[in-house]
Amino acid sequence: MEPILELEEVWAAYPGGRGAALKGASLSLSPQELGLLVGPNGAGKTTILEVLLGFVPYRGRARTFGLEVRAHRAEVRKRIGYLPQELFFPPDAPCRTLDLVLMGRFGQLRPWQRLPREERKRALSALERFGLAERADWPIGHLSGGQQRKALLARAMAKGAEILLLDEPFASLDPQARLDLAQAILDLKDEGLTILAVVHEEELLARADRAFLVREGKTQPLPQKVRLAEIWAEVQPCGR
Amino acid sequence: MWALILPSLLSALLSGATSGLLGSCALRLRLSALGYAMAHAAFAGAALAFWLGLPPLVLSFLFALAVAALLGPVADYTGLPADAVLAILFPLTMALGFLFIALSPSQALTSPALTLFWGSLLGVGWSDVLVLGAVLAASAGFLILFRREVWATLVERRLAEEAGIPAKPILWALLFLIGATVVGSLRLVGGLLIYALLFLPASAASQLTLELRQQFFLAPALGALSGLTGFGLSFWADLPVGTSIALTACGLFLLFSFLSPRRKLRLEEAHRA
């Protein structure tokens, strides 16, 4: 099957950053697969997601849906849902839950175009799916961390995303919220979404189709049925 | 007499309204340090124009925008965080402003030179009113037409970009309008105090409501109120107009902070905890 998401010898550096964050990273994911990126902090995991979204300039080939990201940023972003790392809205964030979900579609509307009613219905049903319909009018910052993550998943659903990029989705969540969120992510995989997630936890590992160790800007495919403890045992002696 | 003070009165109204409107964006984007540096860069540009005997509008605008444009490249080149770069640019532009005024010794302490520091009722002309009117119209038009895009950029820039919204051009357009507001207000309020008008009405509005849409109405109203009240104070009590406007804006902020439902909520939460 043709990969839906592919990096080939990708080098990337942040403007003004000290050196390259990616040094020839390669990976690919077929449609409906769950891929995981594991590795120490600062290894380049987030950069891989940001390259796929066209946030970071790169050399090499980065393709999603068969399109080179650097040449088709707008088109690619329309079809990707993204959970940024450590994004928690403060209580005074000027945004309601429903508005956050609707925001995912704003880029596809002309400035003078009114928001179609179907969009609102679609957003509400996405929130309902994650048990947040009753909190649609709540300020997003008044939701718990796990609920905020689910609202971002609902946003990706309402947007019609075909690929989900999740950057440490379980960070700062309690064990129960982690389990709930993992189940929500796996349900989305079962419905046919392709998911690439940066994780430090075991929750998704058992169901992953592929896993990659990211270290010093390079990627290395990991064997299936690997446990994170084994990966860390391999990584730690190299020391970072 | 009205013919003499009418441009100042209208400038106070327009400057307050525009500053309030754009100040809400700047506050949300946490650009207070940038606004501060831009205001003082505009002061330096006007001082240079004063020294060279040129009209101040263009040079102060270029200086203000140059600060915004330099921020990213200088931060990248030096590897310093943006606020550290602004901490360098701020004294640099202030020092340049003082230097340019000092270099024109025959005029250094004349009324037009001092106007650049703390503004003047009589230093304002119809050209300033026109600039401020145009900036207010452009700002309001921009915020109405691109309301969704601006809102998304203000809420979370990465999510806005992921949604396909051109967050960077939106940010640049806002900076351009802020620069134009600073420049248009310079002669009335002065380079040292324009910052107050840009942030205090927006801060006062943010004390009353979390809704950005409501802040976009409330902040310009409070800015216009600060401008007009400050103007009145200056006129009747013979005080410097920039000082009067800044003090009025401070007073409104303190009043609304005291009345703030957000503050009461925080106190209740602390009490419960």
Side-chain angles (χ1 to χ4, degrees):
Chain A
M1 200 182 281
E2 278 289 298
I4 191 170
L5 179 160
E6 190 177 18
L7 294 186
E8 203 178 308
E9 276 298 306
V10 167
W11 288 68
Y14 290 94
R18 305 266 184 241
L22 292 182
K23 301 170 183 169
S26 300
L27 61 85
S28 77
L29 223 52
S30 297
Q32 306 180 10
E33 282 190 329
L34 169 62
L36 301 183
L37 299 174
V38 297
N41 290 333
K45 303 182 296 296
T46 295
T47 312
I48 288 177
L49 303 190
E50 292 188 342
V51 163
L52 290 165
L53 282 158
F55 287 174
V56 186
Y58 65 90
R59 279 192 293 125
R61 285 179 64 185
R63 294 161 73 87
T64 48
F65 313 105
L67 300 169
E68 188 64 45
V69 173
R70 72 165 74 81
H72 299 91
R73 276 193 195 94
E75 200 172 338
V76 162
R77 286 177 189 171
K78 276 181 198 167
R79 300 166 69 183
I80 293 182
Y82 175 47
L83 264 73
Q85 188 179 17
E86 287 292 332
L87 173 63
F88 291 103
F89 293 93
D92 61 351
C95 175
R96 293 181 184 278
T97 307
L98 180 63
D99 294 331
L100 180 77
V101 176
L102 287 169
M103 189 216 281
R105 297 283 284 184
F106 283 0
Q108 295 169 49
L109 299 171
R110 302 271 177 218
W112 53 88
Q113 197 180 342
R114 289 181 75 88
L115 188 75
R117 275 198 188 152
E118 302 80 64
E119 297 287 353
R120 184 172 287 270
K121 275 187 195 161
R122 200 203 308 227
L124 278 170
S125 75
L127 281 172
E128 196 169 353
R129 180 210 159 115
F130 291 100
L132 294 172
E134 285 178 6
R135 306 203 167 173
D137 281 331
W138 282 35
I140 184 71
H142 289 196
L143 268 57
S144 69
Q147 287 170 331
Q148 290 190 24
R149 296 293 159 114
K150 285 184 180 174
L152 287 168
L153 289 181
R155 180 180 183 274
M157 289 290 84
K159 185 185 173 186
E162 296 159 61
I163 294 177
L164 269 182
L165 301 179
L166 313 175
D167 198 350
E168 300 195 20
F170 305 113
S172 310
L173 298 186
D174 63 51
Q176 186 56 48
R178 271 170 31 186
L179 281 175
D180 286 351
L181 188 64
Q183 190 53 54
I185 292 169
L186 292 173
D187 288 347
L188 292 174
K189 171 187 158 47
D190 292 339
E191 286 169 28
L193 260 80
T194 308
I195 301 171
L196 181 62
V198 174
V199 291
H200 291 296
E201 302 83 359
E202 296 276 356
E203 271 84 358
L204 298 176
L205 203 62
R207 291 282 308 275
D209 300 292
R210 294 166 199 250
F212 302 88
L213 174 65
V214 186
R215 193 158 40 158
E216 295 179 356
K218 297 188 176 97
T219 47
Q220 174 193 332
L222 290 169
Q224 287 196 326
K225 308 296 175 200
V226 72
R227 289 185 57 81
L228 278 182
E230 295 164 27
I231 299 169
W232 289 116
E234 185 189 338
V235 170
Q236 297 303 340
C238 299
R240 271 183 75 88
Chain B
M1 187 180 69
W2 276 106
L4 204 62
I5 62 166
L6 196 58
S8 306
L9 183 68
L10 287 174
S11 282
L13 182 76
L14 292 169
S15 172
T18 317
S19 301
L21 193 60
L22 295 169
S24 295
C25 299
L27 194 68
R28 182 67 212 159
L29 288 166
R30 301 186 197 286
L31 289 178
S32 53
L34 181 60
Y36 202 46
M38 280 174 86
H40 291 92
F43 163 69
L48 176 62
F50 184 72
W51 176 40
L52 298 175
L54 298 170
L57 215 61
V58 175
L59 274 181
S60 49
F61 191 45
L62 288 178
F63 266 62
L65 286 186
V67 163
L70 279 174
L71 177 63
V74 173
D76 288 347
Y77 183 75
T78 57
L80 290 170
D83 62 341
V85 176
L86 286 170
I88 294 163
L89 290 173
F90 165 63
L92 172 70
T93 50
M94 274 305 273
L96 284 175
F98 288 129
L99 176 71
F100 295 141
I101 286 180
L103 284 173
S104 39
S106 62
Q107 303 182 59
L109 290 174
T110 59
S111 177
L114 295 178
T115 296
L116 293 179
F117 288 105
W118 47 72
S120 160
L121 276 178
L122 302 177
V124 181
W126 284 106
S127 61
D128 300 280
V129 178
L130 278 177
V131 168
L132 283 168
V135 176
L136 178 59
S139 305
F142 179 77
L143 291 175
I144 290 168
L145 186 60
F146 296 104
R147 61 197 177 284
R148 285 191 291 252
E149 289 80 357
V150 170
W151 174 81
T153 305
L154 297 183
V155 168
E156 227 296 316
R157 201 171 138 189
R158 281 173 300 174
L159 289 180
E161 286 182 334
E162 175 257 11
I165 291 164
K168 208 175 254 184
I170 297 265
L171 203 59
W172 273 105
L174 289 173
L175 286 177
F176 180 86
L177 291 168
I178 290 170
T181 308
V182 164
V183 170
S185 310
L186 199 61
R187 277 204 278 202
L188 178 74
V189 188
L192 299 181
L193 292 169
I194 176 62
Y195 176 77
L197 203 49
L198 197 58
F199 284 95
L200 287 170
S203 302
S206 75
Q207 291 295 306
L208 287 188
T209 173
L210 286 179
E211 290 278 349
L212 263 182
R213 199 173 302 149
Q214 291 170 3
Q215 287 179 25
F216 278 137
F217 286 99
L218 200 54
L222 293 176
L225 183 65
S226 303
L228 287 180
T229 311
F231 177 89
L233 266 177
S234 166
F235 189 74
W236 298 113
D238 197 19
L239 297 171
V241 65
T243 311
S244 306
I245 289 176
L247 286 174
T248 309
C250 279
L252 284 175
F253 172 72
L254 289 175
L255 176 68
F256 286 116
S257 302
F258 182 70
L259 298 174
S260 167
R262 287 173 61 180
R263 185 177 144 273
K264 282 179 186 161
L265 270 177
R266 279 199 304 273
L267 287 176
E268 279 171 18
E269 276 173 18
H271 188 66
R272 275 201 300 270

